[in-house]
Amino acid sequence: MATTTLTPAASAYRTGLYEWLTTTDHKRIGILYIVNSFIFFFIGGLFALGVRTELAQPGLQFVHDELLYNQLFTMHGTVMIFLFIIPMLVGFGNYVAPLQIGAPDMAFPRINALSFWMLPLAGVLLLMGFLTGGAAQAGWTSYSPLAQDRPLSSTGPGEDLWIMALTLIGTSSILGGINFLVTIFKMRAPGMTMFRMPILVWTVLVTSVLVVMATPVLTSALIMLFIDRNYGGHFFDPGGPNGGGGSAILWQNVFWFYSHPAVYIMVLPAMGMISEILPVFSRKPLFGYKAFVFATAGIGALGFSVWAHHMFTTGQVFLPFFSLMTFLIAVPTGVKMFNWIFTLFRGKLTFSTPLLFALGFLSMFLIGGINGAFSAAVPVDFALQDTYWVVAHLHYVLFGGSVFGVMAGLYYWFPKMTGRMLNETLGKIQFVLMFVGFNLTFFPMHQLGLAGMPRRIADYASDAGWNDLNLAATIGGFTIAASTLPLIWNVFSSLRAGKPAGDDPWEANTLEWATSSPPPPYNFDHLPEIRSERPLFDLRHGRTVVH
Amino acid sequence: MSTAPRSRPSSLAIAGWLVAAAFGIALAAWVVLNAGTIWNSFFPPQAKSVEGQEIRNLYDIVFIFAVVIFAVVEGLIIWSVIRYRRKPGDDELPPQTHGNNLAEITWTLIPTVIVLFLFVVSWQTLNSVEAVSPDPGLKVRAVAGQFQWSFDYLPTDATGDTKALFTVTAPVGPDGGLVLPAGQVTHLYLKSPDVIHAFYVPQFLFKRDVVPGLTNQFDLDIPASDAGQTYRGQCAELCGVGHRIMLFEVHALAQADFKAWMDKQIAAANATPPPAPSGAAAGPSIPLVAQNVKFDQSTLTVPATGFTIHYDNKDAGTPHDFVILDNAGSKVYGSPVVTGPKGADFPVPAIAAGTYKFECSIHPTLMFGTLTVQ
Ligand code: HEM
Ligand SMILES: [Cu+2]
């Protein structure tokens, strides 16, 4: 085995604030991304609790100002997507991908630091809306003309701050995407051919291609919206007090041209993490490695031709084409699902917390994928679009999928990042609370949507028959909130007194486990020979030699 | 694995299993007792339009596939999890299967066939839901503005922009709403003067966006057997602070009743309008400003001998009015609608002393206050 540290080398990571603020080490930047994203997860979660508290019963009890309610769900969606889940996955990619390909760092370490530091700045800008007369309130989709600067729509600086924040985050993503692409193409260790790369690296690669192709489209749309609002442009404004000429539908097209691929940006790396964890805890290789790579690339490619399935009810898109493409994208997703299951099949499963969360991912993402098929059937989507069904669907994918994946990844890589194990009992308590709370919150939303409850409303008629399901969802929301307490406790207590991890606590397969925990600057003293996608497995079972 | 497997489960784990078992039993009992309601909650409401019925049939097909696929895949997951646990002390590697091309081809092809099938059936349904009749019995233009609906009834040779025969301005209530003939096809045009809204009636299983700058249209066909029914509709696309109050009703009338209603509305619209109330202001003038869909006052105190509301609507393009309601909620006074920016004087006749509620009947949840008559 490679280097072995007797005491966890945590001390290297406790050197001064200045070191953290100026670091260009991909591992520290990765940790910064992860910590920053968790902070925004809690902020976004508080907004969601505000929404759920208001909806617990009919009537306005909690958020008396309905404008504030609109700000809450807008900020919830925006924060969760742009400041939590996307950066969180970038953080894991940043930490793990260079290690997994045996590289000393990212290709452009300073640009890496720049990409990160744009995010807290963007977050502050975004939240400043609350202090300047109201944050953005047009939904995370910010449809025009509601996002225009006119009475009863989006007056005030909140929406402008939203635009600036998203432009910054977009720029950060583009820089990060290019950085990942160059790193993965140019900095692989000798022997690490493309088809020996860990699946996580493949998903980061495909995600980066999506980022580089799609994000500029969003960024330019944001600038056009800014011009509309501030300099009398008419890109997206068909009417209004000053006459029009713009198109409300155009905004939706460009917005979703980014934001649908963004859905894969939000989930592919989480799939990659699951694909690292399932083999390790079943003690088998990933079933169908190449099929998995092709399915990932297929999702990436098809992902650019389904954007208008968010616009079926606009009456302004060619429905059969987008319906067909949307149905087809289920195929590569299904391939992945079967590959994961057949990785478990005939394995020897150890139910540590990372595996529990990974199994949670499989089950919940399955529901999120299946209920997506309802929306692909266009006429059914006519019934479901913009109801709570969609809220259920998106959370089964983004929470049941991505967030469970992130939790699995956190329990899996925390020992590598800190040299300490997280506590298993606390991990299991967190898993049970989160799994139960998640389903209690979001499953009833399917039924609410079928019963006709629209999303984005602060109140509903008490005789509509939606009371019990809403109450259940609110109780579930607070259960999710409770599940974060064992997590926080676990992280802080394990940092101080967790069990030392050693280099390779899980008997894992990939290169990051061939160096110390945490790894030294520039990562490796020497690398094992790379003969397959599982160099450490080969090493452990004597199929290769250390140079 | 580095940790040695524990021989005895901890008391915490036992407590956990007991709690889980208790919950499981309670949940199972609850599911059995409410099986019918729960089952129904997985389906949209019973469809009340011909198009909605077709959508419901499609939903049922997709639902069956969804349930079967979920059961198979989830079953595989659960079975693998139960069957392939690692036994304590077992250090042998399981067989290192790297994949199987036949399996990959199978689970690529079977899902492809399933989704193609679902695509074809949904395309067929789509074509018939989207089809428009060459000679609909009625044409109505639904106008959605922040934050109310109104319905323009059009001549049958109309296109989307034709002048209305008459307009129903109240979106709900016995005198308002979208009144339609059951048993006849209605062609709807959708228009918005401001932001995007969506026409949504859950019982039609249908919604369509109302997009400013263009006109969407569709056919609605309520079966004759549903005459006399009322359905609730609601805006489904976020349109601002009053989004959730954009409610409307659809009243389905038997064809004879509908014709009578229509004739009455046309006659009323053609009748010479009654002389405008004399401008002479009665009693003191009470200023009231409507701005950003809010009144500037939440309490007003007025004499019982009559008074004039000096009304100023500052919301460009948005209609407001002024209505007084007694404790029972019945209307004591109602002003005409004023679309801003515009002012108006509303002379209110004498009313009995007491406490009343005033509101804008278009935005009752946002614009209201207490009126004390002394
Ligand atoms: C902490 C647990 C969470 C709860 C209780 C929760 C709850 C909700 C609710 C009730 C809504 C609907 C608001 C409305 O339509 O009025 C909503 C919207 C949304 N949520 Fe969450 N959510 C949670 C976590 C997440 C996560 C982790 C993500 C993404 C990674 C997310 C992304 C979104 C998005 C994008 C929307 C749509 C916002 C919009 O309509 O503009 N949520 N959430
Ligand atoms: Cu609305």
Side-chain angles (χ1 to χ4, degrees):
Chain A
M1 185 107 352
T3 50
T4 308
T5 25
L6 295 176
T7 49
S11 63
Y13 278 80
R14 296 213 181 114
T15 44
L17 185 64
Y18 180 80
E19 288 287 309
W20 281 100
L21 292 180
T22 56
T23 184
T24 57
D25 176 358
H26 76 97
K27 298 183 290 300
R28 288 192 169 196
I29 293 175
I31 291 174
L32 285 173
Y33 263 107
I34 293 171
V35 170
N36 183 65
S37 305
F38 265 116
I39 293 172
F40 281 103
F41 181 50
F42 291 116
I43 295 174
L46 284 181
F47 294 154
L49 288 185
V51 166
R52 277 311 336 155
T53 306
E54 181 49 59
L55 292 175
Q57 287 173 31
L60 287 180
Q61 300 89 7
F62 183 66
V63 188
H64 291 278
D65 178 357
E66 295 193 41
L67 219 46
L68 178 61
Y69 182 86
N70 291 4
Q71 294 167 21
L72 282 181
F73 68 71
T74 301
M75 285 296 132
H76 164 68
T78 307
V79 164
M80 284 299 192
I81 286 183
F82 294 105
L83 287 162
F84 164 56
I85 200 71
I86 294 181
M88 178 65 96
L89 296 169
V90 173
F92 276 98
N94 231 298
Y95 193 100
V96 180
L99 282 165
Q100 285 194 329
I101 58 174
D105 204 324
M106 294 281 279
F108 307 112
R110 291 191 195 191
I111 288 186
N112 201 19
L114 176 66
S115 313
F116 168 72
W117 285 105
M118 285 175 160
L119 293 175
L121 177 63
V124 169
L125 271 182
L126 185 72
L127 296 176
M128 238 160 49
F130 284 111
L131 305 178
T132 57
Q137 26 137 325
W140 86 277
T141 49
S142 201
Y143 277 7
S144 179
L146 188 61
Q148 298 288 352
D149 181 14
R150 64 162 95 129
L152 293 179
S153 294
S154 299
T155 50
E159 178 73 21
D160 291 316
L161 289 168
W162 183 92
I163 295 175
M164 289 180 210
L166 259 65
T167 310
L168 268 178
I169 296 170
T171 310
S172 151
S173 289
I174 296 170
L175 293 176
I178 294 172
N179 210 345
F180 275 126
L181 289 177
V182 177
T183 307
I184 293 171
F185 282 127
K186 287 288 171 204
M187 298 184 57
R188 277 171 287 129
M192 178 65 75
T193 61
M194 290 302 271
F195 280 108
R196 289 180 192 162
M197 292 196 316
I199 291 291
L200 176 61
V201 179
W202 269 110
T203 55
V204 170
L205 172 65
V206 174
T207 303
S208 301
V209 173
L210 295 184
V211 165
V212 171
M213 285 173 67
T215 317
V217 178
L218 175 72
T219 312
S220 29
L222 288 168
I223 293 170
M224 289 193 268
L225 185 61
F226 194 82
I227 294 173
D228 266 10
R229 289 176 51 82
N230 294 291
Y231 307 112
H234 288 99
F235 293 105
F236 306 125
D237 192 356
N242 312 321
S247 160
I249 297 294
L250 179 61
W251 167 263
Q252 298 188 20
N253 273 311
V254 283
F255 179 83
W256 288 115
F257 188 83
Y258 162 77
S259 290
H260 193 82
V263 171
Y264 302 109
I265 295 173
M266 292 176 237
V267 80
L268 285 178
M271 291 176 163
M273 300 188 344
I274 297 302
S275 310
E276 298 300 315
I277 290 167
L278 290 175
V280 170
F281 291 89
S282 350
R283 311 190 82 206
K284 279 179 59 197
L286 183 73
F287 193 92
Y289 172 96
K290 281 202 178 163
F292 205 96
V293 169
F294 292 134
T296 305
I299 291 178
L302 284 173
F304 277 103
S305 55
V306 297
W307 78 88
H309 70 206
H310 299 270
M311 302 163 58
F312 284 157
T313 61
T314 60
Q316 304 298 322
V317 295
F318 184 55
L319 298 168
F321 173 77
F322 289 102
S323 170
L324 176 63
M325 298 317 274
T326 305
F327 271 122
L328 284 180
I329 208 164
V331 174
T333 318
V335 167
K336 291 186 166 197
M337 184 58 80
F338 286 113
N339 281 321
W340 285 322
I341 294 175
F342 277 76
T343 304
L344 300 173
F345 196 74
R346 297 205 177 137
K348 292 195 172 164
L349 308 184
T350 308
F351 291 90
S352 302
T353 312
L355 182 67
L356 291 181
F357 275 106
L359 293 171
F361 175 111
L362 293 192
S363 300
M364 297 301 101
F365 189 77
L366 174 66
I367 297 181
I370 289 179
N371 64 18
F374 287 80
S375 297
V378 182
V380 176
D381 186 69
F382 288 164
L384 302 177
Q385 160 72 0
D386 269 321
T387 68
Y388 259 85
W389 174 283
V390 171
V391 182
H393 165 65
L394 77 91
H395 286 90
Y396 268 88
V397 177
L398 290 181
F399 195 131
S402 306
V403 178
F404 276 72
V406 164
M407 291 299 160
L410 183 72
Y411 278 87
Y412 182 66
W413 278 294
F414 187 90
K416 181 54 53 182
M417 294 176 182
T418 65
R420 307 266 191 190
M421 305 295 288
L422 283 168
N423 179 294
E424 275 291 309
T425 311
L426 284 171
K428 281 170 183 155
I429 293 174
Q430 184 206 340
F431 171 74
V432 171
L433 278 176
M434 195 172 249
F435 188 82
V436 172
F438 169 78
N439 282 292
L440 188 58
T441 311
F442 297 109
F443 199 81
M445 292 187 187
H446 291 110
Q447 291 136 298
L448 281 172
L450 287 169
M453 179 167 168
R455 66 196 278 205
R456 297 171 168 175
I457 56 172
D459 191 16
Y460 46 93
S462 57
D463 61 352
W466 305 335
N467 301 3
D468 298 346
L469 292 166
N470 269 303
L471 184 61
T474 300
I475 295 172
F478 281 89
T479 313
I480 298 177
S483 78
T484 59
L485 299 179
L487 170 67
I488 297 173
W489 175 246
N490 202 349
V491 166
F492 284 102
S493 62
S494 300
L495 272 179
R496 263 190 296 109
K499 195 162 61 111
D503 291 358
D504 182 14
W506 310 117
E507 296 195 1
N509 297 327
T510 40
L511 288 181
E512 73 270 34
W513 307 100
T515 179
S516 61
S517 305
Y522 306 110
N523 299 343
F524 298 98
D525 296 340
H526 41 73
L527 282 165
E529 202 176 326
I530 302 161
R531 290 265 184 81
S532 75
E533 84 279 13
R534 295 193 294 167
L536 256 68
F537 179 90
D538 298 343
L539 183 66
R540 195 177 309 118
H541 297 279
R543 300 187 190 174
T544 180
V545 286
V546 187
H547 290 290
Chain B
M1 203 72 26
S2 49
T3 44
R6 268 174 306 178
S7 46
R8 264 182 315 128
S10 68
S11 49
L12 191 73
I14 295 175
W17 282 116
L18 284 179
V19 171
F23 264 113
I25 293 169
L27 189 68
W30 177 78
V31 168
V32 169
L33 288 177
N34 297 287
T37 326
I38 296 174
W39 178 250
N40 284 335
S41 72
F42 290 113
F43 295 91
Q46 209 193 350
K48 292 295 185 181
S49 67
V50 173
E51 296 82 4
Q53 189 57 55
E54 294 180 50
I55 295 175
R56 172 58 193 269
N57 295 342
L58 177 63
Y59 178 92
D60 291 350
I61 296 175
V62 181
F63 184 81
I64 291 170
F65 275 93
V67 170
V68 171
I69 292 171
F70 176 77
V72 168
V73 180
E74 190 66 46
L76 278 174
I77 296 175
I78 291 175
W79 192 70
S80 307
V81 165
I82 293 174
R83 173 72 183 71
Y84 298 111
R85 318 168 68 88
R86 183 181 179 184
K87 312 275 175 317
D90 175 359
D91 254 347
E92 224 174 287
L93 278 181
Q96 300 293 298
T97 348
H98 284 267
N100 179 323
N101 285 341
L102 189 65
E104 299 289 349
I105 292 170
T106 317
W107 61 54
T108 306
L109 283 186
I110 293 179
T112 307
V113 172
I114 293 177
V115 297
L116 286 179
F117 170 77
L118 288 177
F119 166 68
V120 170
V121 288
S122 63
W123 192 8
Q124 281 167 347
T125 309
L126 179 65
N127 285 337
S128 93
V129 168
E130 293 274 282
V132 289
S133 153
D135 57 340
L138 175 66
K139 286 186 174 174
V140 180
R141 179 170 55 221
V143 181
Q146 289 166 312
F147 301 99
Q148 78 288 313
W149 294 89
S150 60
F151 302 102
D152 293 343
Y153 284 73
L154 307 178
T156 39
D157 59 350
T159 57
D161 290 321
T162 310
K163 191 173 167 314
L165 300 171
F166 62 91
T167 301
V168 177
T169 49
V172 294
D175 305 324
L178 175 58
V179 181
L180 296 180
Q184 244 181 20
V185 177
T186 303
H187 189 73
L188 274 126
Y189 298 96
L190 301 176
K191 279 253 171 203
S192 163
D194 40 51
V195 301
I196 306 176
H197 305 271
F199 178 97
Y200 174 39
V201 180
Q203 281 160 308
F204 299 158
L205 279 72
F206 185 81
K207 71 178 65 67
R208 180 61 38 100
D209 293 355
V210 191
V211 187
L214 49 89
T215 308
N216 272 328
Q217 37 190 312
F218 61 94
D219 272 3
L220 190 58
D221 188 355
I222 302 178
S225 53
D226 281 331
Q229 303 263 26
T230 291
Y231 309 114
R232 286 188 196 179
Q234 179 163 8
C235 175
E237 179 65 56
L238 177 66
C239 59
V241 65
H243 169 48
R244 75 167 170 88
I245 60 164
M246 276 193 70
L247 310 171
F248 61 94
E249 279 170 358
V250 179
H251 302 293
L253 297 187
Q255 288 190 30
D257 295 345
F258 179 78
K259 183 152 190 328
W261 177 84
M262 182 102 173
D263 289 344
K264 199 173 112 207
Q265 299 293 326
I266 293 175
N270 292 341
T272 40
S278 74
S285 174
I286 314 275
L288 182 63
V289 179
Q291 189 169 20
N292 296 330
V293 205
K294 289 253 159 57
F295 284 132
D296 67 335
Q297 315 274 348
S298 60
T299 53
L300 293 175
T301 307
V302 298
T305 48
F307 57 95
T308 298
I309 293 290
H310 185 66
Y311 198 77
D312 189 4
N313 176 358
K314 291 193 192 278
D315 288 340
T318 307
H320 297 303
D321 65 359
F322 178 77
V323 169
I324 301 176
L325 304 171
D326 66 13
N327 282 332
S330 40
K331 201 197 263 189
V332 178
Y333 169 81
S335 79
V337 174
V338 183
T339 302
K342 198 176 160 193
D345 281 321
F346 303 144
V348 182
I351 42 180
T355 312
Y356 297 83
K357 181 184 180 194
F358 70 89
E359 65 176 30
C360 163
S361 70
I362 302 164
H363 308 101
T365 56
L366 300 172
M367 306 174 69
F368 56 88
T370 312
L371 180 82
T372 311
V373 182
Q374 293 172 333

